[in-house]
Amino acid sequence: MFDERVVARSKTGLPTVLSMPVCSRRAFLAGTVTSMRAFSHPFRTQGQTTRTRLILLGTGGGPRPRKASSASAQVIIRNNTAYVIDCGNGVARQLVFANVPLPTLRHIFLTHQHSDHNADYGNLIWLAWTTGLRTPVDAWGPPPLAKMTRLFFEMNAYDINTRVADEGRVPLVPLVRVHELREGGLLMRDDQMTITATVVDHPPVVPAFAYRFDAADRSIVISGDTARSDKLVKLAQGADLLVHSAVYSPAVDRLVARVPNAPALKRSIIAGQTSAEDAGRVAQAAGVKTLVLSHLIPADDPEVTEQMWIEAARMHFGGSVIVGKDLLEV
Ligand SMILES: [Zn+2]
C-alpha cells in the first residue's frame, strides 16, 4: 500500500520523492490536464459555466497571527474549480467561511517560500482530503516545494494511513502533483484558464513569483510579495484585477517597534515590498482596471485608515482601488 511505502522510505532516509509525482511543466502541458479529467468530481457540474470569482481569504502581511486579518491567501473559482494562491495560516478555515467546498481544490500556487504564504500549504491539502477531496491537486511554486510536500506527508503519515485503513479513504499522497518553478512563463492552459507566471523581486527570497489567471470573462493577477517590479507591470498588462501587496510606508516604524525579535525587519520590508503609492504606479503602468491592495503592512494599525490606503494608491493610478479585507469577493 502506498502509505506504507512512505513510512518505509522515511526509515531508510532516502531523500527522493518516488511516490509523489513531480511533474515537469512540459509534461503537464503535454496532456496531464486531459488525463486528469478522467477523475469524477462530486462537487463539479459538467458543462456549466459561471463567472470567474476572486475571494480574498487573507489580506494581512506577515506571519504574526492577528485578530483583524488572516495571512496571505486568495481563491479564484471557475466552474466549481478552486485555484488557491498562497496558503497563509488558516487558509482551509477561511475557505469554509467563504463557502468554498474544500473538495473543489484543484490547484495551489505558492508565490514564495515565506511562512505567511506557505504555513498551511500541507494542511490545506490534508484537511481538504478529510473533507472529501479525492481528485488530483496540482501544487505550483518555488523550490523546495517537492521536499516540503514529501516531508509534510511523512510527518503526518500516521493520520493519513489510519484514515485510509480505518475510514476507507483514497490514498492522499498520489493525488498531489508538484511542479517546482524556477522561472516564469506559461504554466498551464486548458479550456477554463490560462495561467502564466513571472519572477518578481522579493529579496532575499529567490525565486518569488506573481501569477496571472486569464479566463474567458476576466483576467486576474496576484503579485505575491515584491518590490516595485517592471516584470509585474508586463505580466499585468491590461488585466481586469491586480491584487498587489502593499506597505503604508509612514506606519512602518510603528510596526517594527512592536516586533521585538527582528532588528532588521524595517530594512527587509523596505527592500522587499511595494509602497501603496508604487502599487498605484505599477497598476497605472500596466493599465489595469482595478487595483486591490492586499498583504497589507501594517495589517492592524488603527491609525492607518482605509481612506489613507486609497489616497496613497490613487496618487498615481486613475482606476478603481479596493482595500483588501478577508472574505471580500472582488
Ligand atoms: Zn514574503
Side-chain angles (χ1 to χ4, degrees):
M1 193 170 88
F2 178 81
D3 301 279
E4 290 169 350
R5 297 207 308 270
V6 171
V7 175
R9 199 172 311 123
S10 70
K11 287 174 183 166
T12 66
L14 288 175
T16 50
V17 183
L18 297 178
S19 299
M20 181 188 65
V22 179
C23 304
S24 73
R25 204 166 62 197
R26 190 184 304 272
F28 186 84
L29 290 168
T32 315
V33 175
T34 305
S35 66
M36 285 178 196
R37 292 197 193 114
F39 286 82
S40 65
H41 200 300
F43 294 86
R44 291 179 196 138
T45 307
Q46 294 296 319
Q48 181 185 349
T49 301
T50 56
R51 178 174 174 271
T52 303
R53 304 172 63 201
L54 169 66
I55 303 172
L56 309 176
L57 299 172
T59 55
R64 177 176 51 88
R66 296 167 297 265
K67 290 181 182 177
S69 57
S70 289
S72 250
Q74 38 266 308
V75 62
I76 294 170
I77 304 158
R78 181 161 177 80
N79 286 344
N80 292 319
T81 300
Y83 305 72
V84 173
I85 305 98
D86 279 336
C87 296
N89 176 230
V91 60
R93 193 150 189 257
Q94 290 297 95
L95 283 164
V96 172
F97 278 125
N99 294 313
V100 179
L102 291 177
T104 63
L105 176 66
R106 179 64 189 82
H107 292 275
I108 296 173
F109 299 85
L110 293 186
T111 58
H112 65 292
Q113 302 294 8
H114 256 156
S115 54
D116 50 332
H117 298 255
N118 69 15
D120 273 2
Y121 158 67
N123 286 335
L124 173 59
I125 301 170
W126 189 23
L127 300 175
W129 178 71
T130 66
T131 310
L133 175 76
R134 55 185 173 86
T135 46
V137 173
D138 284 87
W140 309 76
L145 189 62
K147 182 180 179 184
M148 289 164 59
T149 310
R150 175 174 56 81
L151 292 179
F152 180 86
F153 287 136
E154 187 177 316
M155 179 175 75
N156 295 295
Y158 183 88
D159 174 90
I160 294 168
N161 292 344
T162 299
R163 291 187 191 282
V164 169
D166 182 48
E167 301 171 4
R169 295 180 188 271
V170 300
L172 168 59
V173 184
L175 297 180
V176 181
R177 303 163 193 243
V178 176
H179 310 260
E180 283 197 343
L181 304 177
R182 291 172 174 78
E183 58 187 24
L186 174 66
L187 302 187
M188 59 160 284
R189 175 182 289 144
D190 62 16
D191 55 359
Q192 302 283 339
M193 198 77 79
T194 298
I195 303 172
T196 48
T198 195
V199 171
V200 290
D201 189 17
H202 186 49
V205 180
V206 177
F209 291 97
Y211 296 103
R212 175 169 179 143
F213 301 80
D214 284 287
D217 59 334
R218 21 178 13 195
S219 48
I220 299 167
V221 177
I222 311 290
S223 75
D225 286 7
T226 181
R228 184 175 161 182
S229 167
D230 290 335
K231 287 182 180 169
L232 177 60
V233 170
K234 193 173 172 192
L235 182 77
Q237 279 298 315
D240 295 305
L241 282 173
L242 169 61
V243 180
H244 203 308
S245 59
V247 176
Y248 191 76
S249 305
V252 170
D253 283 330
R254 279 201 301 275
L255 168 68
V256 298
R258 297 202 305 266
V259 183
N261 63 347
L265 181 59
K266 181 177 179 180
R267 179 197 47 73
S268 174
I269 290 172
I270 301 298
Q273 305 288 350
T274 301
S275 67
E277 298 97 292
D278 279 349
R281 285 190 173 96
V282 169
Q284 184 70 24
V288 305
K289 293 192 180 78
T290 300
L291 169 64
V292 182
L293 300 178
S294 191
H295 191 273
L296 302 175
I297 300 175
D300 53 359
D301 185 335
E303 294 184 43
V304 182
T305 65
E306 182 171 339
Q307 195 57 33
M308 291 160 80
W309 284 108
I310 291 173
E311 285 172 5
R314 279 196 180 143
M315 286 174 66
H316 306 285
F317 177 51
S320 303
V321 178
I322 294 171
V323 181
K325 291 185 179 62
D326 287 14
L327 304 177
L328 178 68
E329 179 166 354
V330 290

